Amino acid sequence: IEKHLQLHPDDARALYLGAASLCQLEEKARSLEWAQMALAIEPGVTVKFNQGVLFDVYGTLNARGTAAAPITFTSNGNLVPGWWRNIWFEPSGSGTLDNCKVLYAGASDNTAILCAGGTSPTVSNSEISSSSGNGILVLDTAKPILSPNNIIEKCGGVGVRNDGSATVNAEDNWWGDAS
């Protein structure tokens, strides 16, 4: 049985990670779920994941960094592609990743960010790098909003893979090569 950390819908409050915070999941944790709640992360915060851990978003994730103080989602161990799983936006999940770095993800699902069902998170001014697979994987009717100025590079797969039925506009982003 996989263990995970979960916030339940009956928790009336939102979870907030402040600028000086470092959220490091314990080794026993295999996934982090935000169920029908809002999670706000302040600029400059680094969230580190143990090997194979999944960040599962059922509620709302608001990660809005700045150019000077980005929010980083990364490995707490080896800096190798595929150390932790990914940020998975479930059909009921939503959110914004602005001025964020998503690094060394891709374990198990071979993608750094996964969008499923009808979710439409916004990713802007962010770096998705060193994934063992794709940068972003789109499934079903998900339609992420990939605003200009993202850097999606050094991934073992493609930058954005659309296996869903919706059209995804990924223009005006950097793919690691001008071609």
Side-chain angles (χ1 to χ4, degrees):
I1 297 174
E2 286 192 345
K3 295 186 178 184
H4 60 273
L5 301 176
Q6 183 175 19
L7 295 177
H8 296 278
D10 56 356
D11 286 340
R13 66 190 187 283
L15 181 65
Y16 172 80
L17 297 178
S21 297
L22 176 66
C23 178
Q24 193 163 340
L25 301 181
E26 297 181 21
E27 288 203 21
K28 64 183 179 194
R30 302 309 301 160
S31 72
L32 181 60
E33 295 182 2
W34 306 110
Q36 299 177 7
M37 292 186 63
L39 170 64
I41 304 175
E42 234 183 41
V45 169
T46 297
V47 182
K48 293 186 174 186
F49 296 93
N50 282 336
Q51 188 171 19
V53 170
L54 165 67
F55 187 178
D56 213 355
V57 180
Y58 286 90
T60 302
L61 171 62
N62 288 311
R64 297 175 191 265
T66 65
I71 296 167
T72 303
F73 300 90
T74 190
S75 161
N76 77 339
N78 294 327
L79 300 181
V80 296
W83 181 259
W84 60 287
R85 278 183 70 182
N86 56 44
I87 299 172
W88 188 320
F89 287 95
E90 296 286 351
S92 63
S94 64
T96 299
L97 299 174
D98 184 39
N99 284 295
C100 291
K101 295 181 178 185
V102 181
L103 310 172
Y104 306 109
S108 182
D109 304 304
N110 289 317
T111 191
I113 298 173
L114 194 148
C115 303
T119 190
S120 57
T122 298
V123 181
S124 57
N125 306 303
S126 294
E127 176 185 349
I128 301 163
S129 182
S130 301
S131 169
S132 62
N134 304 306
I136 300 172
L137 176 60
V138 180
L139 301 174
D140 310 314
T141 58
K143 191 171 182 178
I145 300 165
L146 306 178
S147 298
N149 301 319
N150 291 302
I151 298 170
I152 304 173
E153 63 180 357
K154 301 177 188 169
C155 296
V158 297
V160 176
R161 179 175 173 168
N162 186 0
D163 286 350
S165 59
T167 300
V168 176
N169 182 350
E171 293 180 330
D172 300 321
N173 291 289
W174 176 254
W175 307 102
D177 190 304
S179 60

